[in-house]
Amino acid sequence: MLPDKKTMLKKMLEANLLDRKQVSEAIAYCKKQNEDLYHYLTTRLDKSSAKINRFFIDNFDCHPIILNDIVLNPDVLNMVPTSLMVNHLIVPAFQIRQRVYLAVSDPLDIDGLRAVMKYTGERSGILLSSKDHIIKALAEYLFKPKIASIMK
C-alpha cells in the first residue's frame, strides 16, 4: 500500500533525500503560493538518481525491472485507461494471483499511482523501470496495435 504524502516526505527526510532547510523554505513558499508541498519538493529532486530507486527498494518493497525482458499481459494492460498510463507513465505489467504489478518511471508520482490503483486494486505492487522502457512498452503494446487496426 502506498503511503500518504506526509509519510513519504518524513521518510525522505530520514533518508537524507531532503534536508530540513529545504523543507522549511518550501513550506514558507508553498503557503504563500498556495501550492502542494509534496509536489513542489518532489519536482526538485534528481529523479534519475540511483539514490531515489534505492530509497523505494528499501522503504516500500519496490523492485527494479527491465520491461524489455518480459512480455506484458494485454488483459492486465487493458485494465487501465490509455490516457492514464500515458499521462503518468505507469504500465500494468502482469498479475500474480490477485496482485497487479505496475511498472513506473517516477515512483514519487503518488497521485498517478493512486489513480491507476483504482483500476488495478490497492494491493498492486510497484516495479521501478526507466522512462524509456515505459514509453517503448506503451508504444509497442498500445499504439502499434491501434495503428495496425486503423490501417486494415
Side-chain angles (χ1 to χ4, degrees):
M1 190 161 104
L2 286 174
D4 58 65
K5 291 177 180 179
K6 183 177 178 180
T7 302
M8 182 70 78
L9 288 173
K10 181 180 174 188
K11 287 191 173 281
M12 291 169 83
L13 273 166
E14 291 169 359
N16 294 318
L17 291 175
L18 299 169
D19 62 46
R20 296 208 180 274
K21 182 181 177 193
Q22 282 176 302
V23 174
S24 296
E25 290 171 356
I27 289 170
Y29 176 81
C30 289
K31 280 184 181 177
K32 277 186 207 174
Q33 301 298 321
N34 198 24
E35 280 192 44
D36 178 68
L37 177 64
Y38 179 83
H39 179 72
Y40 179 84
L41 285 169
T42 57
T43 56
R44 280 144 184 84
L45 288 173
D46 177 12
K47 292 180 185 163
S48 64
S49 166
K51 198 172 179 181
I52 296 283
N53 283 349
R54 185 85 253 151
F55 169 75
F56 278 92
I57 290 167
D58 292 344
N59 290 285
F60 300 107
D61 196 30
C62 295
H63 305 282
I65 190 167
I66 299 172
L67 283 180
N68 295 348
D69 290 349
I70 66 168
V71 176
L72 301 183
N73 182 332
D75 294 333
V76 174
L77 202 62
N78 290 326
M79 295 171 89
V80 179
T82 301
S83 61
L84 194 55
M85 289 186 276
V86 171
N87 289 337
H88 293 283
L89 294 179
I90 299 172
V91 175
F94 55 86
Q95 183 173 357
I96 298 176
R97 295 192 180 108
Q98 300 303 315
R99 190 174 195 170
V100 175
Y101 287 84
L102 307 173
V104 302
S105 64
D106 180 7
L108 295 168
D109 182 5
I110 291 178
D111 293 334
L113 284 166
R114 287 202 192 288
V116 170
M117 285 178 169
K118 286 182 183 177
Y119 294 93
T120 62
E122 290 296 318
R123 291 193 54 232
S124 296
I126 308 298
L127 304 168
L128 304 172
S129 185
S130 73
K131 185 176 182 177
D132 291 342
H133 287 163
I134 298 280
I135 291 169
K136 185 175 179 185
L138 289 170
E140 182 72 26
Y141 288 91
L142 294 177
F143 298 114
K144 279 186 182 178
K146 287 180 183 176
I147 291 169
S149 69
I150 292 169
M151 299 299 285
K152 287 183 182 179

